[in-house]
Amino acid sequence: MTAAGAGALAAVALLGGCAQEGEKAAPAPQSGSSIVASPDGETLYVANGDSNTVSVVDAKNRKVAKEIAVGKEPRELALSADGKTLYVTCRYADSVEWVDVAKGSVLGSVKTGIEPYGIVASPDGRTLYVTNYRSGTVSAVDTESRQVKDSVAAGVNPRALALSADGGRLYVSDYLTAETSIFDTATMKRVNDGMLAPSPDVADRKKSQGTPNTVEQVRLTPDGGSLWEAHLLTNTDTPVQFEEVIFPALSVVDARTGKEDAKARKELFKAIDVKDKFGKTIIVSNPTDVVFSPDGKKAYALMGGSEDLLVFDLARGGRAGQIIHHLPGDLPIGMALSPDGGKLYVHNASSHDLTVVTLPPTDEEGGQARVDGEPVKLVAQDRLNAQQRLGKTLFYSANSDDNPLAGNNWMSCASCHSDGEVDRLSIMTAKGPRNVPSNALAFETGLFMWDGSRDDFYDYIHTVQGEMGGLSEVDPAKPLPADAQKLFDALEAYMTMPDAFPVPHSPFRTADGQLTEDAERGKAIFEGKAQCVTCHATDVMTDSAKAVGPDGKLTTADTDFLHDVGTVNGADVDYAGDARGAFANKRPRGVYDTPTLRGVYATAPYLHDGSAPTLEDVVKRAGDRHGHTSELSDKEIQDLVAYLKQIQ
């Protein structure tokens, strides 16, 4: 039996100690989530991310009791011990807000760091623990004084977090590196950590393999013995193709040591393998959450990409035994379970609604989970217009029944562009290895692709067909048909919203957001001696936007702003052009488009192939083909890098 199965069964032994009717229930492990339930299960609280509100839902009547305005991009919630105050991380407001539930208003806030994300409350309600995504820290906050008591380093991009039932141990996962850190909450000292291990290569490229990344959620089993992490695996050494590169996984980590139980990992075709009526495996994608039945016998895993719910029977081998394929609602990201384990509430972040699933008793032989009624609408008015909303849904959805951009439910745009930005990986392509870029400012920085071989967003029909498996019936050499053009227009409408993928603020600046003294010196070097500004020009810090024709529009025919900076990789090959560009957009290996430097600190690794792990490495290897850096002293390099890290 795996550690996961043993841990789940151990929870059964604890049932004798469960609270009787009228007694106060013992504390349970906590995890940050976009949806939380009151202890009695009568009220649900949901963070409506891009609508900047929180909904209070009457669970019994399935109605929104009130919708409360909060700061920009509310992500996760925690509830006070008395149920009167809701704590909300507002990602793009850089704040945690205190909300008076009865009055429906914000009482106050605290700045914990840049882009606070995950949040849990201690069992006694006196302390909040908050992950600060851009600052790379986790903060302990006093709920009464609204003051930060402590902030400690917690990886590069900490996001998901969980807290043991007694409040003694805090578990923090790095979103992109898949490192799990364990902190003693009494001292906020790191006591253990571990990395999720790569799944080894196998001969069949359609079977799960690759590097763990994009950890969306961490949850402790009811007995607190194991930590389950919902994440992706990316196969970086296989030419990118939708059925062979991105795989869903649920990994199991020992809650005491932080070490993964490799044999317990649940992957496609290994534990995740539910057949359709024709005996074919149903493909699922992009895990976003997992919760456990109160007795620990079952695990319910949410697949945000394919919009599915998987049911794992942990008392009978731990394999997926049921799937609810394509749940109602778009972009399911979080779940809450009723106290009796009979209802599962699924938060759909893009459609802003709540799907209710009725669950059978865990000891019922052959019992099936079932969708119960229509989704509950959470917001009175969508802040996005219909075209923007469609674009966001398309970006995150791998549900190929609803989204023609996706092939067989395998992957979405967000499968590589994690949360719309980077995944810290380089994937293999027909042109050679390519570093996955951020979508921040993507429509303002000139030509598309690392080699500047696209000048129109519709050119991404080649990506959709060749990498994502969608729109196979479209001839890319011809103007897009109206229905396909509508999809690309919607994607563009969403991706060009200022707050869709904003340039990240730098944690390296002063407390009031100014350049440090060494960065000021570095800026002078950047603009002067090192000549970086020659190519990293204009307001968006790239000369690519200058590649325009007589009509003032971008054109791949203008190659004056492609550069050979000596970074060609041995695996790079010449590009023969594509049908969309009438094969006139050929590119020789070794010449590249200038990337923006806005928010560059957050986009490691660097260069077109991701071969430079740090900005220091970029500068030191540059020589005089990539700026003029050969004569810079070590101190000048340090100052230059300090400036680069503070560009925003």
Side-chain angles (χ1 to χ4, degrees), residues 1-10 226 228 252 264 296 314-315 318:
M1 180 181 293
T2 66
L9 291 178
S226 298
W228 282 43
V252 182
L314 303 183

Side-chain angles (χ1 to χ4, degrees), residues 144-168:
E144 184 175 351
S145 67
R146 298 177 199 156
Q147 297 293 316
V148 175
K149 298 188 292 184
D150 202 357
S151 283
V152 296
V156 181
N157 294 115
R159 179 175 290 196
L161 78 173
L163 186 67
S164 61
D166 63 4

Side-chain angles (χ1 to χ4, degrees), residues 59-81:
K60 181 179 180 181
N61 295 315
R62 301 189 187 180
K63 292 184 178 180
V64 174
K66 62 184 68 174
E67 187 180 353
I68 306 169
V70 295
K72 197 170 185 178
E73 198 71 20
R75 283 291 181 153
E76 293 195 351
L77 311 167
L79 191 63
S80 64

Side-chain angles (χ1 to χ4, degrees), residues 1-6 195-200 208 226-228 231 233 249-254 259-272 312 314 317-320:
M1 180 181 293
T2 66
M195 300 287 293
L196 296 183
S199 282
S208 187
S226 298
L227 188 76
W228 282 43
H231 64 95
L233 294 167
L250 300 167
S251 292
V252 182
V253 172
D254 186 294
K259 306 305 179 186
E260 182 187 358
D261 179 356
K263 294 182 180 179
R265 179 177 288 176
K266 300 184 184 304
E267 306 176 48
L268 268 182
F269 317 119
K270 295 188 295 184
I272 301 179
F312 294 90
L314 303 183
R319 297 181 66 85

